Amino acid sequence: AQCLDISTPEHPMTVPAKARYVVIGAGIHGLSTAHHLAQKLRGKGRSSEADIVVLDKGKVASGASGIACGVIRNNYFQPAMRELMAHSVAAWESDPETYHYHPVGYLQISPEVMHEGVASIHAQQQAIGYDSTFVEGAENCSRYLQNLFDDWQARGITSVLHEAKGGYANNVASMRGLAAKAVAAGARILEGVRVSGFEFGHNSRAVSAVLTDR
């Protein structure tokens, strides 16, 4: 933690009296917000305004981001997700070492009851140019899978959707990598700081202060 200049309960960083931007939560959403905000300000020549503080009551990835399964894929039944997931996969591919990302691809191996739905996913992927292979029929699927895994034996498989992109990431290590990017871009991350409430401007819902236990 010290190499990232992140505060810990044992080595607390002073909580600043003021900050232009305060992000609550050092999971994937909070860290990504801090990182991209700092990048955007830098791109506009406003690095001096990148006064960004990330607060977390625990540690980086101590919540849901630290227990996520880590699967990276573009395999969902909702069409609205397709281009968003393609964008997300590209984000992981942009720095696999820092994000501890392993681009091994993704397989959906399905029985007949799922055939129609998986076919629709493949059609949507093809429509946006997302590289994937769709195999149909029990015999074809068996041959395809045995070419990948010579000990493949499962029965009742009538469709295989093989995404060339995607894979998996080591969840906590990924978040530590993202935290390093946010810090390098100018953000400060304070662990062990619990947010208890907010103060608002006069006749306004704009936040004027963030109340913490520090």
Side-chain angles (χ1 to χ4, degrees):
Q2 309 322 308
C3 66
L4 295 183
D5 199 25
I6 295 175
S7 74
T8 66
E10 295 78 18
H11 301 86
M13 184 188 296
T14 302
V15 176
K18 295 181 179 180
R20 185 181 292 267
Y21 306 102
V22 179
V23 179
I24 301 171
I28 192 167
H29 291 97
L31 294 173
S32 181
T33 297
H35 177 224
H36 285 92
L37 174 58
Q39 283 189 316
K40 187 171 184 178
L41 291 170
R42 179 179 294 176
K44 292 184 175 181
R46 296 166 53 189
S47 294
S48 62
E49 297 177 26
D51 180 14
I52 304 165
V53 174
V54 182
L55 306 177
D56 197 284
K57 63 184 177 182
K59 297 181 178 181
V60 167
S62 62
S65 296
I67 60 173
C69 68
V71 173
I72 314 299
R73 60 180 182 169
N74 192 355
N75 188 281
Y76 297 88
F77 285 104
Q78 303 90 339
M81 297 283 281
R82 199 68 51 229
E83 293 189 43
L84 174 61
M85 291 301 102
H87 173 82
S88 296
V89 171
W92 287 98
E93 291 175 334
S94 69
D95 192 349
E97 182 176 359
T98 299
Y99 292 141
H100 295 263
Y101 168 60
H102 307 273
V104 297
Y106 181 82
L107 282 167
Q108 177 163 343
I109 302 166
S110 308
E112 185 59 27
V113 68
M114 298 182 68
H115 190 156
E116 183 178 353
V118 179
S120 71
I121 293 175
H122 178 250
Q124 294 165 31
Q125 291 175 342
Q126 298 307 292
I128 65 167
Y130 193 82
D131 188 9
S132 64
T133 299
F134 188 48
V135 183
E136 301 175 89
E139 291 187 10
N140 291 334
C141 289
S142 181
R143 281 194 297 269
Y144 189 86
L145 292 168
Q146 286 174 356
N147 282 332
L148 296 174
F149 313 106
D150 56 16
D151 58 347
W152 180 263
Q153 297 182 43
R155 299 179 180 178
I157 303 303
T158 63
S159 69
V160 173
L161 178 57
H162 189 178
E163 300 180 21
K165 295 174 177 287
Y168 70 96
N170 304 103
N171 47 20
V172 175
S174 299
M175 294 304 95
R176 300 297 292 185
L178 181 55
K181 282 181 173 288
V183 170
R188 288 173 288 172
I189 301 173
L190 279 68
E191 297 178 321
V193 180
R194 182 181 294 272
V195 173
S196 58
F198 305 96
E199 292 180 357
F200 300 92
H202 181 64
N203 293 326
S204 169
R205 295 300 294 171
V207 174
S208 60
V210 177
L211 309 178
T212 79
D213 59 359
R214 298 249 304 265

